[in-house]
Amino acid sequence: MSEHHQNSQSTLVMKFGGAAVATPEHFSRIADIIIAKMKEHPRIVTVVSAMGNTTDQLIALAKQVNPDPPRREYDMLVTVGERISIALLAMALAKKGCEARSFTGSQSGIITCSRHTDARIIDVRPHRILPVLADGKVAIVAGFQGVSRGGEITTLGRGGSDTTAVALGVALNSTKVEFFKDVPGVFNADPKKNSAASMYTHLSHGEALKIVLEGAKVLHPRCIELAQKNQLMLHVRTFQELGSQGTLIGKEREVVGLPCYEDET
Ligand code: ASP
Ligand code: MG
């Protein structure tokens, strides 16, 4: 990955989950967020998930045809969800006069092992993305998917778009990956079920990993491990209220000295 580092300084990766792209109207809102961000960060890669519960619907569809579908064909089908999102986001940006290019996982150079439905990323070769960023355009990448060395389309396991975003952040030498969610940040309990839940402003990678391994669905565990290994900062925030601070995950809390969650163990 290191050969890409020098020519890709200060790229921001923005990841939009399924809730942020749940309806056609959401794409206009997301496009506004990206356009506003471009003022501070001229180099932006966005990673998007499938709209709302599209992935669940595609899996249900497969099962209607074959309760035990061949894994290769499952991947071929479910990757369609993210492909819908990338094209619609590029269209929404174009409508607002912002040039963008959408790419599948394969076109983005997300190289994985050949284990269908649960592949691991083994390399990122963003040859198609770098010239788009150099041209001042937004690169839009389909999350959750890649391509094996044998040229087969693979998926990274449910929730895998987070890992796509972090893998690109590492390959493009980003300083931060921002995750836009329907919750304001990482909480000590599910904020949708427990109104007394409180939000962390800062966590270390280790603390965040512990929280998701205990069952919080806020980030894909593998994306935190990858960020920890590469000392990449993660920012979990809501797409609904841009002024809100969210949760920063990474070392920087020591520098900024904001209140943080103390691990008692
Ligand atoms: N759309 C996929 C899923 O629902 C991947 C993701 O959302 O990260 O699991
Ligand atoms: Mg999804």
Side-chain angles (χ1 to χ4, degrees), residues 72 106 111-114 116 122 147-154:
R72 178 188 187 277
S106 164
I111 315 296
T112 73
C113 71
S114 57
H116 282 294
I122 54 180
V147 66
S148 70
R149 292 201 199 278
E152 296 290 356
I153 302 300
T154 54

Side-chain angles (χ1 to χ4, degrees), residues 174-240:
S174 302
T175 44
K176 191 164 84 169
V177 179
E178 295 192 357
F179 295 87
F180 290 84
K181 308 227 145 232
D182 60 349
V183 289
V186 182
F187 283 72
N188 61 356
D190 186 345
K192 288 180 189 158
K193 291 183 189 144
N194 185 343
S195 60
S198 65
M199 193 184 86
Y200 302 113
T201 53
H202 272 75
L203 291 168
S204 68
H205 290 110
E207 289 162 346
L209 189 58
K210 185 164 176 264
I211 291 167
V212 300
L213 289 176
E214 280 165 0
K217 290 269 185 293
V218 64
L219 286 176
H220 201 220
R222 251 191 290 139
C223 96
I224 303 177
E225 285 165 358
L226 194 58
Q228 182 171 38
K229 218 166 92 194
N230 293 280
Q231 285 309 310
L232 179 58
M233 180 92 150
L234 308 178
H235 188 183
V236 179
R237 50 192 306 191
T238 173
F239 66 90
Q240 284 141 333

Side-chain angles (χ1 to χ4, degrees), residues 15 49-50 55 82 144 158-162:
K15 190 260 169 176
S49 292
T55 307
E82 273 69 15
F144 174 57
R158 295 304 306 270
S161 298
D162 290 342

